Amino acid sequence: MIELGVNIDHVATVRQARRTYEPDPAIAAALAEQGGADGITFHLREDRRHIQDRDVDVLMQTVTVKTNLELACAEDVLAIALRARPDWALLVPESRQEVTTEGGLNVAGDDGRIAAAIERLKDQGILTSLFVDPDTDQVAAAAKLGADAVELHTGPYALAKRDAIDVELKRLQTAGQVANEAGMRLHAGHGLNYTNVRPVAKLPGMIELNIGHSIVSRAVMVGMREAVAEMRRILDACCP
């Protein structure tokens, strides 16, 4: 059965639009758990545009499923991760100009920062995942650095039209095969929604999908618990 990680960043985005106290990401996380989430993902960005330091503390105290802290290799957020000790740390590239994470880490060209971050996280018992493009060289490099998982960037697939969809799915499948052969967990995320998620969930060896924007968008209409439950039902039906 595919594990569903629910990213609650954009609950905090709504809150930060007014710099107020609602909606509360911790309450959203609790409702997501009730809807069937297997994990809660939250991204502490360097510019703190949505999730705040306090959110990390509260979520670590209240979430009862696995926690997945998304972060760059920057020292300030890395120090918070080492203190908070989430179950998983998902390392991602980060640019202050981007609206959302726009591409995968260049693991193959690592100058030592990614390797050092992985080592420090592992020393605290934190499992590590690297957000990478569906490129076999990047996946192989992640395995060489000792990552526990790769999360394949599904953005290009989500944006693809007509024949390009199959091309992007093939890229994901090929990269996933490298991850499977290397003994890493295979995760995927970015741009996945209620319409396009099934083919990715069915990829050989896929274990976990992390989905945020589409679930939070649906939650505006039907509530967080039901929005997560709807995605859970889709995954259970296509990958029993």
Side-chain angles (χ1 to χ4, degrees):
M1 187 172 66
I2 297 292
E3 297 174 16
L4 173 60
V6 176
N7 187 313
I8 57 170
D9 290 346
H10 291 305
V11 175
T13 297
V14 175
R15 179 194 63 193
Q16 294 306 111
R18 288 290 183 93
R19 297 293 193 273
T20 184
Y21 55 86
E22 60 183 3
D24 190 331
I27 295 175
L31 292 170
E33 288 188 41
Q34 293 173 17
D38 300 295
I40 301 297
T41 295
F42 41 101
H43 185 176
L44 185 65
R45 296 185 66 107
E46 291 182 80
D47 61 10
R48 307 300 199 271
R49 67 177 61 173
H50 37 56
I51 295 294
Q52 304 296 301
D53 296 25
R54 178 182 178 276
D55 294 322
V56 175
D57 293 335
V58 174
L59 289 165
M60 290 304 303
Q61 293 170 15
T62 57
V63 171
T64 63
V65 293
K66 66 183 174 185
T67 49
N68 181 28
L69 175 57
E70 192 174 336
L71 70 156
C73 291
E75 180 57 36
D76 66 326
V77 290
L78 185 57
I80 291 172
L82 295 171
R83 173 179 56 78
R85 297 180 68 179
D87 298 302
W88 283 86
L90 172 61
L91 297 178
V92 301
E94 198 170 293
S95 167
R96 290 176 185 265
Q97 287 73 44
E98 67 188 3
V99 175
T100 185
T101 306
E102 294 176 347
L105 284 168
N106 181 15
V107 187
D110 180 38
D111 60 3
R113 293 184 72 204
I114 300 173
I118 291 174
E119 182 177 1
R120 293 173 67 186
L121 290 162
K122 283 181 172 290
D123 285 346
Q124 291 298 315
I126 302 169
L127 296 166
T128 57
S129 178
L130 304 184
F131 185 74
V132 298
D133 292 326
D135 177 279
T136 56
D137 289 341
Q138 297 294 345
V139 175
K144 188 175 180 179
L145 291 186
D148 298 291
V150 288
E151 180 166 320
L152 298 182
H153 178 23
T154 51
Y157 159 75
L159 295 173
K161 305 294 184 184
R162 295 179 289 278
D163 293 346
I165 295 174
D166 289 336
V167 173
E168 293 300 332
L169 270 175
K170 183 62 177 177
R171 291 182 66 213
L172 290 165
Q173 181 177 349
T174 302
Q177 182 177 353
V178 174
N180 290 330
E181 292 173 351
M184 291 187 293
R185 281 175 57 106
L186 181 59
H187 303 173
H190 201 81
L192 297 177
N193 58 41
Y194 297 85
T195 302
N196 65 21
V197 71
R198 292 174 182 84
V200 177
K202 291 180 178 179
L203 289 174
M206 186 60 67
I207 294 177
E208 176 178 316
L209 300 178
N210 283 295
I211 305 174
H213 187 267
S214 66
I215 289 178
V216 173
S217 298
R218 180 68 175 153
V220 172
M221 306 301 172
V222 302
M224 179 62 79
R225 184 189 298 120
E226 177 57 26
V228 174
E230 288 179 10
M231 183 63 75
R232 179 74 270 167
R233 288 193 291 269
I234 289 171
L235 297 179
D236 290 348
C238 76
C239 306

